[in-house]
Amino acid sequence: MKLMAKIRQRIGWKLFISYLVIILVGSISLVLTAEFIAPSALDRHMASMAMLMGGDKGGMMGDLTENFRRAINEILLIATLAATATAVVVGSFVTRRIVSPIEEMTRASHRIADGRYDERVLVVGEDELSDLAGAFNQMAYTLAQTEERRRQLIGDVAHELRTPLSSIRSVMEGLIDEVLPAEPTTFLSVQHEVTRLQRLVHDLEELSRAETGQIPLEIELVDPADLVHAAVERLQLQFDDKNVQLSLGLASGLPQIQADTGRMTQVLLNLMGNALQYTPSGGQVFIRAWADEGDVTITIQDNGIGIAPEHLTHIFERFYRVDKSRSRAGGGSGIGLTISKHLVEAHNGHIAATSPGPGQGSTFSITLPAAVH
Ligand code: ADP
């Protein structure tokens, strides 16, 4: 029973036994052939030979037949032993070739399970096993990246929470020690920080849902111009307050797009809100929209602070802010663009940013496929 369990657990033993079965079946069929078919053929041959030689002299034919049989049996025995020895050699070679990489992958997966995400296995050859090793390494790489993102996210969130929390704490301590007066302005500063925390928590929830593709989209046919007008209406007052001029240049007869009105408005509000925030008073924001080769493109161009090329490639990453204090002062968490990117991509669209450089304004563009009727 123990032996059977051992055999069941080892590929090497299974391979060796399958070789033995083949050798056994081959040998048995050869023995049976030598025992039952060869003698009659031999006898016939011997009889015709005896006739030619003028009769069986002194039972020579019988001796010959007997010797021939013995020789065949000896040959079969030697051949079976040689085949078994070959099975042992080939079996151990093939086993090593198959089992070693599998054992290596098993060891590596245990190490990965222990948190060592830099583990990789050697990819040798071009067969299915090397494909498996390649897929294993790819999986390990993805796991390492996910783990790195998780660690970074926790660090970022902790960092984002620290500033408003320490600010609330110092105001509270000031109140307790009676260094700060218990009056509305003091409480307002606490309320401001609490509002920021609430926004951060809300953004984080949105981000987590957007990153896992869990934001349900209510897709309908939408006129892109309606989306822009709705967003403009919501922000016009704030533009007026800051004295930033908002102009529109929408092509007429834009094709409809398939979009979730609420979510696409959210994206436009984020881009327009940023344009307003990063454009000084007296500046301008220009929104254009046009259709081209089955796509609708909406751009939001400002003549504000601009973005340096080294930052441009990162601004869609979560928590990335070019000027942390400036963004924070405006209540920014550095997540808005990340969420917008996910939302646009969930609509099969594309979002991009360009800027000639600091102080020279920025342009954000969204491209979405036009609906086919
Ligand atoms: P935030 O909440 O900080 O604005 P976003 O994800 O919306 O976060 O933007 C990320 C960063 O990209 C901002 O902190 C800012 O540095 C930069 N940015 C976004 N829009 C503009 C813009 N129109 N002009 C200049 N910089 C911008």
Side-chain angles (χ1 to χ4, degrees):
M1 271 298 128
K2 263 189 175 168
L3 183 72
M4 284 304 283
K6 267 221 150 63
I7 290 173
R8 232 178 277 138
Q9 286 167 1
R10 297 257 172 237
I11 289 182
W13 276 107
K14 286 183 188 169
L15 266 177
F16 180 60
I17 286 174
S18 61
Y19 289 156
L20 276 191
V21 169
I22 295 168
I23 292 168
L24 213 65
V25 171
S27 304
I28 289 172
S29 41
L30 277 176
V31 167
L32 290 178
T33 316
E35 256 333 285
F36 298 110
I37 301 173
S40 58
L42 195 66
D43 285 350
R44 274 199 311 277
H45 197 66
M46 286 299 182
S48 59
M49 258 178 75
M51 266 200 356
L52 280 175
M53 290 165 68
D56 183 359
K57 298 197 176 84
M60 197 180 78
M61 294 304 161
D63 276 1
L64 261 174
T65 313
E66 191 46 40
N67 278 339
F68 181 75
R69 269 193 191 161
R70 230 178 278 144
I72 290 236
N73 283 341
E74 257 173 47
I75 289 166
L76 277 177
L77 187 67
I78 293 169
T80 308
L81 289 177
T84 310
T86 313
V88 172
V89 175
V90 173
S92 63
F93 172 75
V94 174
T95 303
R96 214 176 318 127
R97 178 80 190 73
I98 295 175
V99 174
S100 299
I102 295 177
E103 282 177 346
E104 173 57 20
M105 276 185 259
T106 310
R107 278 194 295 271
S109 60
H110 285 313
R111 286 193 289 262
I112 289 175
D114 286 342
R116 288 171 53 187
Y117 294 96
D118 54 346
E119 268 309 319
R120 298 290 179 273
V121 292
L122 206 66
V123 182
V124 188
E126 293 171 14
D127 55 12
E128 289 90 339
L129 274 173
S130 56
D131 286 350
L132 178 63
F136 181 91
N137 284 344
Q138 181 60 42
M139 182 198 70
Y141 174 73
T142 313
L143 274 176
Q145 275 193 325
T146 310
E147 176 60 13
E148 176 57 30
R149 274 206 296 270
R150 190 185 68 85
R151 223 176 292 166
Q152 208 175 346
L153 177 65
I154 291 174
D156 287 341
V157 171
H159 180 79
E160 293 300 321
L161 291 176
R162 202 172 296 129
T163 316
L165 282 177
S166 53
S167 161
I168 293 171
R169 185 184 166 168
S170 57
V171 174
M172 286 306 177
E173 281 173 355
L175 279 168
I176 292 166
D177 297 344
E178 294 180 8
V179 183
L180 286 174
E183 56 189 36
T185 44
T186 315
F187 297 120
L188 267 176
S189 71
V190 175
Q191 193 196 33
H192 179 74
E193 296 300 340
V194 171
T195 310
R196 180 193 291 185
L197 280 173
Q198 273 181 325
R199 191 175 314 151
L200 175 65
V201 170
H202 171 264
D203 283 356
L204 279 172
E205 277 173 347
E206 281 270 289
L207 175 69
S208 132
R209 292 202 297 149
E211 282 190 338
T212 48
Q214 282 177 355
I215 293 186
L217 296 179
E218 285 175 27
I219 299 290
E220 54 187 337
L221 279 178
V222 188
D223 184 342
D226 289 348
L227 287 178
V228 174
H229 285 130
V232 168
E233 206 172 300
R234 296 259 294 268
L235 290 180
Q236 187 67 62
L237 261 180
Q238 293 180 38
F239 274 80
D240 294 345
D241 280 352
K242 197 177 173 184
N243 187 29
V244 174
Q245 193 192 328
L246 184 57
S247 332
L248 298 188
L250 312 182
S252 58
L254 283 173
Q256 288 185 306
I257 52 171
Q258 283 196 313
D260 180 316
T261 307
R263 291 302 180 179
M264 278 321 294
T265 310
Q266 179 185 345
V267 173
L268 287 176
L269 287 174
N270 172 231
L271 299 183
M272 287 165 62
N274 279 348
L276 175 65
Q277 187 181 346
Y278 300 107
T279 302
S281 179
Q284 287 180 354
V285 172
F286 198 7
I287 304 178
R288 290 188 184 84
W290 68 90
D292 188 20
E293 291 181 7
D295 286 331
V296 173
T297 302
I298 304 172
T299 61
I300 293 107
Q301 182 182 13
D302 64 61
N303 65 352
I305 63 168
I307 305 165
E310 67 268 25
H311 296 300
L312 212 48
T313 43
H314 297 291
I315 54 168
F316 291 101
E317 291 168 14
R318 62 185 176 208
F319 298 113
Y320 194 88
R321 288 172 294 204
V322 176
D323 180 345
K324 294 196 182 354
S325 54
R326 184 172 198 148
S327 157
R328 233 186 231 125
S333 58
I335 309 179
L337 284 180
T338 318
I339 296 173
S340 290
K341 184 171 170 8
H342 281 292
L343 287 177
V344 172
E345 286 172 358
H347 282 82
N348 300 317
H350 178 69
I351 187 167
T354 54
S355 170
Q360 299 179 66
S362 330
T363 304
F364 284 78
S365 66
I366 312 165
T367 305
L368 294 161
V372 232
H373 290 287

